[in-house]
Amino acid sequence: MERKECPFCGEMIAASAKKCKFCGEWLDKVPAAVPKTTCPICAEEIDANVEICPFCHEAVNNPSKSVPTQPAHIVQTSAPKPIAAHSFATPNNVQVNTQNGVFKTYLWDVLIHHYADFKGTISRKAYWMFVLFEQISLFAVASTIACFNGIAGLIIYFVLGLALCLPSLSAAVRRLHDIGKSGWMIFISMIPLVGPIYLLILLCKKGQAGAVQAKWCLADTLYVSILGLLATVGIILSIVGGEKYYVYEDSEWEMNLDASRFFAVASTDKRDLDNEFIDHFGTQIIVSAEEPFADDMEIVISAEDIAAEDPSVGSDLNFEIFPSTIDPDLLYFNYWQDGMEFPLCGKVDCKTKIFNLFNGSIIGMISEGRYEDCFVRVDIGIPGVKDGFKIFRQSPVNQSANPVYSIPGSFSSFIFDKTQSEEIINTIEKW
């Protein structure tokens, strides 16, 4: 069946139609055709009688400007075929754009002038050049940021990808218009497996619109240099990596509540592996990873964090860790430095990195029995507090808890003796 384009919306309709089924306009009300020409600066189709191009804002018909004008013999005097998108010129009138560079023509002009333009057409070359430059730019920026901060890289990639959804969709719709298909054909991609393949074939078909052949310029060289620099930085960082953390060989990886993360004590300097408790070369830290000794480890809390919060201790600290039995993101810990008679303790939220410090030394977490989901703390060396151990309910960061059970006595002998500590925890769990 013979088809034609609606002069109002550009959709393909039956040649005998009296009213457009897409925009609802009556075709017998078509306004008088305005002669058209092609802007000699940006190659967009414009009215022949305008003096300033509405796209590039350059003077085109002003005698005072020495701007080359379109020869009279190619000025259209009849109703033109709508070319509202990035087709730039008809196939018989492809021009070389010496004013705008390649990236400006195929990427920035689409984003700026046709961000949400669902009317008209775009040529095959212009469409795929836009897709190529768009994806290269998106990947280069997001991947480089991810090398410094993985979460930030993912956020940037998501935000930029979301912002580019609309121009990508509108460009695909205009590409379908160029091959004589309705823009609604874009939804064929929703058909599993077959749909995306068929849509890709349609987007690769040759259409009627012609594309301007932009000329490489200095701005393109600068843009490519920036992208190349970002890619180089990303590759180097991915090979070299950021700051490395060294887990002590005798350190036990402690699993959290749902087995989604593991925790261990580490240092920022490899030399500390042979010298765990004396004269640290690096900073002592608690790290987490999805599996023991994984390459992708992140700091949960460091000795420098503790020293910033508690100036009475230095930054040369040691750690002992106790994962919570009620929250996979909650971690209790002891910390001490050379010369401290007894450790102090605290808790940290592994997601927010917010932590609290308090007195006493934790000897273990209770996972069953009468005092399930509690922990045992020994209050030794605290002024005004009689030596003994107390049982506390586990609580989120920034929430305190009163002891639910307390026994006086001297228990200093098992503070650093893990075997004795485990025996006491096992005894309590049987109560």
Side-chain angles (χ1 to χ4, degrees):
M1 182 176 66
E2 188 178 356
R3 301 176 68 83
K4 63 180 180 181
E5 288 190 4
C6 172
F8 294 97
C9 66
E11 294 285 355
M12 300 302 297
I13 57 177
S16 59
K18 303 296 183 181
K19 182 179 181 179
C20 177
K21 63 179 180 180
F22 296 103
C23 64
E25 294 287 348
W26 290 95
L27 302 181
D28 57 358
K29 297 180 180 180
V30 178
V34 178
K36 298 290 184 178
T37 186
T38 302
C39 174
I41 307 300
C42 67
E44 291 282 359
E45 187 180 53
I46 59 176
D47 293 341
N49 59 353
V50 300
E51 295 185 356
I52 303 295
C53 174
F55 296 99
C56 64
H57 307 291
E58 296 287 344
V60 292
N61 289 323
N62 190 339
S64 63
K65 301 287 185 180
S66 57
V67 178
T69 58
Q70 194 76 293
H73 68 278
I74 67 170
V75 175
Q76 301 178 16
T77 57
S78 59
K81 183 179 180 179
I83 303 178
H86 227 114
S87 57
F88 303 116
T90 63
N92 297 324
N93 186 27
V94 178
Q95 298 186 5
V96 177
N97 188 342
T98 59
Q99 293 289 329
N100 298 330
V102 174
F103 278 89
K104 186 178 189 304
T105 299
Y106 294 121
L107 178 61
W108 300 115
D109 280 356
V110 175
L111 295 177
I112 296 173
H113 299 305
H114 303 282
Y115 186 86
D117 182 6
F118 291 89
K119 296 181 179 180
T121 61
I122 184 173
S123 72
R124 179 172 59 179
K125 177 180 179 180
Y127 173 76
W128 287 110
M129 291 290 280
F130 166 70
V131 172
L132 175 64
F133 294 155
E134 172 195 45
Q135 292 302 314
I136 290 176
S137 302
L138 175 61
F139 177 78
V141 173
S143 60
T144 303
I145 296 177
C147 291
F148 295 95
N149 188 302
I151 296 178
L154 290 176
I155 294 175
I156 292 297
Y157 187 86
F158 176 78
V159 172
L160 292 180
L162 192 62
L164 292 172
C165 281
L166 192 57
S168 299
L169 179 63
S170 65
V173 169
R174 286 181 277 123
R175 180 83 267 272
L176 292 173
H177 290 170
D178 184 42
I179 61 173
K181 301 292 184 181
S182 169
W184 294 104
M185 287 291 291
I186 194 75
F187 292 106
I188 199 173
S189 61
M190 299 178 67
I191 301 176
L193 187 60
V194 179
I197 297 176
Y198 182 62
L199 178 61
L200 179 62
I201 294 174
L202 292 179
L203 295 176
C204 291
K205 289 183 64 176
K206 182 176 177 60
Q208 297 297 318
V212 65
Q213 304 297 315
K215 184 178 180 181
W216 191 270
C217 66
L218 178 60
D220 296 317
T221 303
L222 293 176
Y223 191 73
V224 170
S225 299
I226 293 174
L227 291 181
L229 179 62
L230 292 177
T232 302
V233 171
I235 293 174
I236 293 176
L237 290 178
S238 63
I239 296 176
V240 177
E243 186 175 9
K244 293 185 178 296
Y245 311 127
Y246 303 93
V247 178
Y248 292 103
E249 295 178 358
D250 59 347
S251 176
E252 295 184 11
W253 285 84
E254 300 286 350
M255 182 176 63
N256 71 346
L257 177 61
D258 59 5
S260 61
R261 305 292 291 181
F262 290 80
F263 305 101
V265 180
S267 173
T268 58
D269 194 310
K270 189 175 182 179
R271 292 174 293 178
D272 288 334
L273 299 186
D274 300 324
N275 190 27
E276 183 171 354
F277 298 109
I278 304 174
D279 298 330
H280 295 143
F281 294 97
T283 301
Q284 301 297 287
I285 54 178
I286 297 176
V287 295
S288 71
E290 293 184 355
E291 58 183 27
F293 295 101
D295 293 332
D296 185 17
M297 292 184 285
E298 65 176 26
I299 295 180
V300 176
I301 192 170
S302 71
E304 293 178 347
D305 296 330
I306 302 293
E309 182 71 17
D310 183 3
S312 64
V313 299
S315 59
D316 189 12
L317 300 175
N318 298 286
F319 287 105
E320 185 180 17
I321 54 181
F322 304 91
S324 169
T325 60
I326 65 170
D327 185 349
D329 296 319
L330 182 63
L331 182 69
Y332 285 82
F333 58 88
N334 287 332
Y335 65 96
W336 70 94
Q337 64 184 7
D338 186 32
M340 289 179 62
E341 186 176 1
F342 301 106
L344 299 175
C345 55
K347 57 184 176 180
V348 58
D349 187 312
C350 300
K351 281 188 175 180
T352 65
K353 305 299 188 293
I354 298 175
F355 62 92
N356 301 139
L357 305 178
F358 41 93
N359 292 319
S361 303
I362 298 174
I363 67 169
M365 316 303 287
I366 306 174
S367 57
E368 59 184 353
R370 178 181 178 184
Y371 296 105
E372 181 181 1
D373 297 334
C374 293
F375 67 91
V376 182
R377 192 183 84 187
V378 179
D379 290 338
I380 296 178
I382 302 175
V385 178
K386 189 174 182 179
D387 294 349
F389 71 81
K390 298 177 181 178
I391 301 176
F392 291 85
R393 291 287 179 191
Q394 299 175 48
S395 59
V397 174
N398 291 333
Q399 290 186 19
S400 59
N402 294 321
V404 296
Y405 192 79
S406 177
I407 297 179
S410 178
F411 298 93
S412 60
S413 61
F414 64 75
I415 288 181
F416 296 104
D417 189 327
K418 193 167 186 178
T419 301
Q420 283 186 297
S421 298
E422 290 176 351
E423 291 177 357
I424 292 176
I425 297 298
N426 292 333
T427 300
I428 295 175
E429 288 180 341
K430 295 176 182 179
W431 286 359

